[in-house]
Amino acid sequence: MSIRLRVNGTEHVLDVDPEMPLLWALRDLLTLTGTKYGCGQALCGACVVHIDGAAVRSCVTPVRRADGREVMTIEGLSPDGSHPLQKAWVDLAVPQCGFCQAGQIMTAAALLAKKPKPTDAEIDQSLAGNLCRCGTYTRIRTAVKKAAGLPTE
């Protein structure tokens, strides 16, 4: 079946099984490897991408759900790293191992698009399903607040 995707602003037509996870289409077919495979069960958040602006777990999202829709990966958020979240992540040295960070940033970007000035509770609730093996949750929250232009202390 042909699936039409607009990924990071570029049109793609993929001849794939419509049940293929979107993650594999992005990583294996389009070579966009910023989105990570973590658990394969939508439990960790490493695979978060946006479909029409909404954060989704691409490891369990069939590629057919993205047919004809706009998909954004971490590579498309800001190719030069100038997105406020990316800048805050660097300024505050948020990642340790970095494995979860693309999913954390994409989840935070969806939050800020809906709620430009979130409270700590809203940040924590939005990111609750994104696991960080290194435990950098406090730095992640601070980076989201910095990107939103909120006081960080």
Side-chain angles (χ1 to χ4, degrees):
M1 174 178 181
S2 288
I3 303 289
R4 295 185 182 279
L5 305 174
R6 184 170 177 82
V7 181
N8 301 332
T10 302
E11 296 287 337
H12 299 277
V13 178
L14 304 176
D15 187 22
V16 296
D17 179 342
E19 298 306 311
M20 169 190 269
L22 177 59
L23 176 63
W24 300 133
L26 296 171
R27 288 185 58 83
D28 295 348
L29 303 177
L30 301 179
T31 66
L32 296 168
T33 57
T35 305
K36 304 300 183 204
Y37 174 80
C39 67
Q41 298 176 359
L43 300 173
C44 73
C47 67
V48 172
V49 300
H50 296 176
I51 296 179
D52 293 338
V56 299
R57 307 294 171 110
S58 64
C59 72
V60 295
T61 301
V63 72
R64 67 177 162 72
R65 282 203 43 224
D67 190 21
R69 299 172 77 187
E70 180 71 36
V71 177
M72 186 187 329
T73 67
I74 189 71
E75 292 92 345
L77 187 63
S78 173
D80 65 357
S82 64
H83 188 281
L85 284 165
Q86 292 168 314
K87 289 169 77 174
W89 247 249
V90 171
D91 291 349
L92 297 171
V94 171
Q96 285 184 22
C97 82
F99 193 82
C100 70
Q101 298 307 307
Q104 299 277 4
I105 290 171
M106 294 303 287
T107 302
L111 168 65
L112 294 180
K114 289 181 183 176
K115 183 83 175 174
K117 302 290 183 192
T119 64
D120 283 358
E122 290 167 330
I123 294 168
D124 292 348
Q125 181 180 8
S126 177
L127 292 167
N130 290 64
L131 302 180
C132 175
R133 294 176 187 153
C134 302
T136 65
Y137 298 110
T138 303
R139 289 191 306 218
I140 290 168
R141 182 189 318 123
T142 301
V144 173
K145 290 171 70 170
K146 181 174 182 166
L150 296 169
T152 57
E153 295 198 24

